[in-house]
Amino acid sequence: MKFRSSWLSGLLCFVCFSVHAQTRSGKISGVITDDNAQPVESATASLQRAKDSSLVKVAVTDKYGLFEFENLPQGEYFVIVTAVGFAKTSSNRFTLSSSAVYKTPSFQLKRSEAKALGAVTVTGKRPLIENKIDRMVVNVEAAPTNAGASAMEVLEKSPGVTVSNEGEISLKGKQGVRILLDGKPTYLSAADLANVLKNLPASALDQIEIMTNPPARYEASGNSGIINIKTKKSLSEGLNGSVTLGGTVSFFKRNDEWLFPLKTTSSININYRKGKWNLFGNYNFNYREGNGSLDLTRRFYEKDGSLNSTSFTYTDFNFRNNNHTLKLGFDYYADKKNVIGIVVTGFGFFGRPLPISNQVISRPDGSTESVLASHNTNINDFFNYSANINYKHSFDSSGRELTVDLDYMGYSNSAKNTLYTSIYDGNGGNLGNLTLYGDIPGIINIYSIKSDYVHPLKNNLRFDAGIKLSDVKNDNEVDYQRNDNGTWKPDDRSNHFIYKENINAGYISLNKKWKKWSAQAGLRIENTIAKGNQVTNDSSFTRNYTNLFPTGYVNYDVNKNHSFTLSYGRRIERPNYQDLNPFIWFLDSLQYRQGNPYLLPQYSNNFELRHTLNGKFTTTINYTVTDDVISQLLKQNTEKRITYLTTDNVARLKNIGLAINAPFSPVKGWSVNLFVNVFNNRYEGIYYNSYTGKNDPINISYTSALVNVSNNFSFKKGWSAELSGWYRGKTIEQLTIADPMYFMSLGGQKLVMKGKGTVRLNFRDPFHWQQFKGRTLYSDIDVKIHNRWDNRNITATFSYRFGKSSVAQARRRTSGVTEEQNRAGGSQQ
């Protein structure tokens, strides 16, 4: 890897230095056991000052139930102890003298009051939505309607999240979300990431974390924030795990014919923890059949504005695919201060989409000029493999620690596509046939090293710093051949593109708490060196730029009921790797998608003010200005009636919004979470009309609303149910005005087999409300879209949990490949 060493070596030294705290030699220790006098491992002990209940330090018990706090000044304290499955307890106040050692009386925890459904089953139920100081957390299994759903479907009904017709994910009306899996990036373009999430079962998920304004510790990439999808990992002592089996039948009506595509999912999750070792693994298999349809109405205009022709395309989508996901790893707790872990993952996707389209081109008077009938056979195989080595060193019980992550991630994509097109005149006479074959392989290799250092200081001050170095090579080819009277000949749209990118980054952050105030300030620096080379036509480009990304947070607790948080962050959105590939991917003979190797990054400034009531009701006002917006853009050749989708830096975007999240319980056993977001998006820019040779202005603005509501019901004897839905008003998606969209689902679940088994039944979108309709209208572009898919379905699943369930403290990693993974891309549909 080629790294800029001058400033980077300084960062390395900066991260490794430690700040000397004031002399403190007091020590507090204790032991925590359960009601059977057995040690409780991974319980949390919180040391608090007696005068104001402020948090001093946090410790986690070892396998003997022991905890300790070191380097403490004299003073009066008390300890609060919490552990999953047990009731919270606390000590009496006590005084620690200078240089003294104080041992608390033994804590004996009592089981929580929730009824146990089995001898070793913990029944504490997490709420569907949790609001935390820097993020919103969605607990996936808390919603019965997530049974049989995919990760994309769970995201789609999460507060503030919307998914466009092309699979682009937005947060509070803003595009450019970074998607992480277990803290690691996905390195995929929007279309390919959507495909992966649609094939990742919800049964494999634990939580979804939504962060609208991440701190400097995270990569600066992501215009509207970060969504971290956490998969399941059991951390109980001994052997434990779960098995899930499920099936789905969809109901899709096309041309007065009912279709019933099937989907199946199965997963197994195993964890074994003994002594210093923790071994874990999971495997998921997904099989999907599906159907959909797409209507496109395109109007072509002359230079004087009169109608030239109209094209109507109807496409049937039929697909069949399966995928396999495997994760294996271990953590080794060498001692109280050192932990090392290794994780390897693999994902294999095997897709066979078969779109069939019929395109009618009409004259201005409505008569048929020509008809094109096309069908496209595809063999798409996609593999993702990664390895992570992580190390954590805890210097003391104050929270001072150093973590290091080494990552490798690879993508291998093979797409073989054959497009057959028959052309007819207005009277049905055959004018000829076209056959185009494409072989589109691609390989991406990503290497990364990342290190973070945390150092709590005196007077409630904390210092954080870190570095990240990454190196990416993206090698993609496209080899097109056309059939010329029975002879295959090379097509001039073949290409070979190699893209290399090196990002060197570092950050520092300070966090301070005092009385009713808390503040955090951070600064991140990122140097990017990129080189693209089109081998076929021997053209290349090189870019080298360095940016600063400040972040700031101020929080004021007015009283126990009201608090305010003001935050600011500057962020960058780099083009994903697939959009940089200058290749052509065909839908049919007159419609295709093409990459743009000359894309530039977009930059945004985000401001957010949040009010929290009683620790759970939140009201947020946000304002964002984004320059050089990266957006999908339709372009066309009026003379040839060709329309293609590309990506370009088209405009400036201003977004302002108001969001309210309100969890409440009208009556016992009924909990509601209501999320409302009202926002305005305004795009201002220039579009070059190649037909007229003029620059036409883009000025599109729309105010929209998003409402998300979930109702959860708890009944006796292990029964529970959910009724949820969302409404998205008319809005702008990638310069397309999207019509309102609705969705609802209802489901129920029953605990069986003494609480170790769960049966779920879910009915998604029973009225088939979720359809996409929209219109793209600027310059000479006039396109109407209507997309339908088989989202109306019934799912039944069964899950069985085995082994112990006294959950230990989770160890979450944050790997170094957090930004690049969102930008990789293959070509599966």
Side-chain angles (χ1 to χ4, degrees), residues 202-409:
S203 60
L205 307 186
D206 179 31
Q207 291 180 327
I208 294 176
E209 295 180 328
I210 302 172
M211 293 171 274
T212 56
N213 211 355
R217 182 186 186 99
Y218 291 92
E219 281 85 354
S221 182
N223 174 55
S224 60
I226 291 175
I227 296 177
N228 183 27
I229 302 174
K230 292 182 177 181
T231 59
K232 290 179 179 177
K233 176 185 173 185
S234 177
L235 290 160
S236 305
E237 185 74 16
L239 177 66
N240 62 91
S242 63
V243 178
T244 299
L245 299 172
T248 299
V249 58
S250 299
F251 306 88
F252 186 72
K253 190 175 184 180
R254 185 168 63 193
N255 298 328
D256 296 324
E257 178 187 5
W258 281 99
L259 304 173
F260 305 96
L262 300 175
K263 302 174 180 66
T264 64
T265 183
S266 57
S267 64
I268 182 170
N269 183 60
I270 297 178
N271 191 91
Y272 179 74
R273 186 168 184 173
K274 186 70 174 179
K276 296 183 176 182
W277 289 91
N278 184 60
L279 309 176
F280 56 90
N282 58 61
Y283 168 75
N284 297 274
F285 171 74
N286 223 13
Y287 173 80
R288 300 179 74 232
E289 297 174 354
N291 303 100
S293 63
L294 173 66
D295 297 341
L296 288 176
T297 303
R298 301 177 293 150
R299 290 181 173 87
F300 299 91
Y301 297 94
E302 299 289 357
K303 294 181 180 180
D304 61 3
S306 61
L307 183 65
N308 171 282
S309 58
T310 301
S311 168
F312 175 76
T313 305
Y314 175 79
T315 303
D316 283 338
F317 291 97
N318 305 279
F319 67 85
R320 173 177 51 85
N321 59 50
N322 64 78
N323 64 82
H324 307 261
T325 306
L326 178 67
K327 176 195 284 187
L328 298 171
F330 73 83
D331 293 322
Y332 175 65
Y333 297 80
D335 50 44
K336 290 192 302 181
K337 295 185 176 182
N338 297 281
V339 185
I340 187 170
I342 294 178
V343 183
V344 293
T345 60
F347 175 81
F349 172 88
F350 308 91
R352 303 297 183 263
L354 182 65
I356 301 173
S357 65
N358 192 63
Q359 184 173 177
V360 179
I361 299 176
S362 303
R363 301 181 181 91
D365 62 5
S367 61
T368 300
E369 178 181 313
S370 59
V371 178
L372 287 81
S374 302
H375 67 278
N376 196 336
T377 62
N378 300 272
I379 301 175
N380 297 343
D381 296 333
F382 173 75
F383 300 94
N384 165 223
Y385 30 87
S386 65
N388 167 264
I389 301 175
N390 52 89
Y391 169 72
K392 176 182 175 182
H393 175 73
S394 301
F395 294 90
D396 50 45
S397 61
S398 68
R400 186 161 69 103
E401 65 180 34
L402 176 70
T403 60
V404 179
D405 282 89
L406 303 175
D407 286 275
Y408 164 75
M409 185 164 291

Side-chain angles (χ1 to χ4, degrees), residues 182-199:
D182 290 324
K184 298 181 181 181
T186 47
Y187 282 106
L188 298 174
S189 67
D192 296 325
L193 174 61
N195 194 48
V196 170
L197 294 178
K198 288 176 182 177
N199 287 278

Side-chain angles (χ1 to χ4, degrees), residues 509-683:
S509 177
L510 286 173
N511 185 299
K512 169 69 175 176
K513 294 182 180 180
W514 65 99
K515 294 184 179 179
K516 294 185 177 183
W517 293 86
S518 63
Q520 180 174 305
L523 181 63
R524 187 177 185 90
I525 183 171
E526 294 188 353
N527 169 253
T528 304
I529 305 170
K531 182 176 182 180
N533 180 26
Q534 293 192 56
V535 179
T536 305
N537 59 13
D538 194 26
S539 65
S540 63
F541 65 85
T542 301
R543 298 192 182 105
N544 187 337
Y545 53 92
T546 301
N547 301 113
L548 294 175
F549 300 98
T551 57
Y553 309 81
V554 177
N555 184 82
Y556 176 63
D557 294 322
V558 180
N559 50 45
K560 65 179 182 179
N561 296 324
H562 297 274
S563 68
F564 291 89
T565 303
L566 177 65
S567 62
Y568 163 76
R570 182 174 187 255
R571 304 190 67 77
I572 184 174
E573 180 79 3
R574 297 179 179 88
N576 70 60
Y577 305 132
Q578 178 173 301
D579 284 343
L580 289 169
N581 292 341
F583 297 168
I584 293 175
W585 292 269
F586 286 94
L587 174 64
D588 55 42
S589 297
L590 298 181
Q591 297 174 100
Y592 60 87
R593 176 166 56 93
Q594 184 173 15
N596 179 5
Y598 303 106
L599 280 172
L600 299 174
Q602 70 178 34
Y603 298 89
S604 64
N605 290 279
N606 301 309
F607 302 86
E608 188 171 282
L609 175 63
R610 182 178 62 190
H611 169 253
T612 303
L613 174 65
N614 296 329
K616 56 182 181 179
F617 299 98
T618 61
T619 303
T620 305
I621 299 174
N622 67 275
Y623 177 68
T624 300
V625 178
T626 305
D627 292 310
D628 294 325
V629 172
I630 299 173
S631 177
Q632 291 184 350
L633 196 68
L634 284 173
K635 295 187 177 183
Q636 64 186 24
N637 184 321
T638 300
E639 295 174 341
K640 296 182 178 180
R641 282 72 176 271
I642 292 175
T643 301
Y644 66 95
L645 180 68
T646 188
T647 307
D648 210 339
N649 300 97
V650 296
R652 162 179 273 205
L653 168 65
K654 295 180 180 179
N655 168 274
I656 187 169
L658 171 68
I660 299 174
N661 192 76
F664 59 94
S665 180
V667 297
K668 184 179 180 181
W670 178 16
S671 61
V672 180
N673 194 88
L674 175 65
F675 178 86
V676 179
N677 182 206
V678 179
F679 59 91
N680 174 269
N681 284 337
R682 176 180 290 276
Y683 288 88

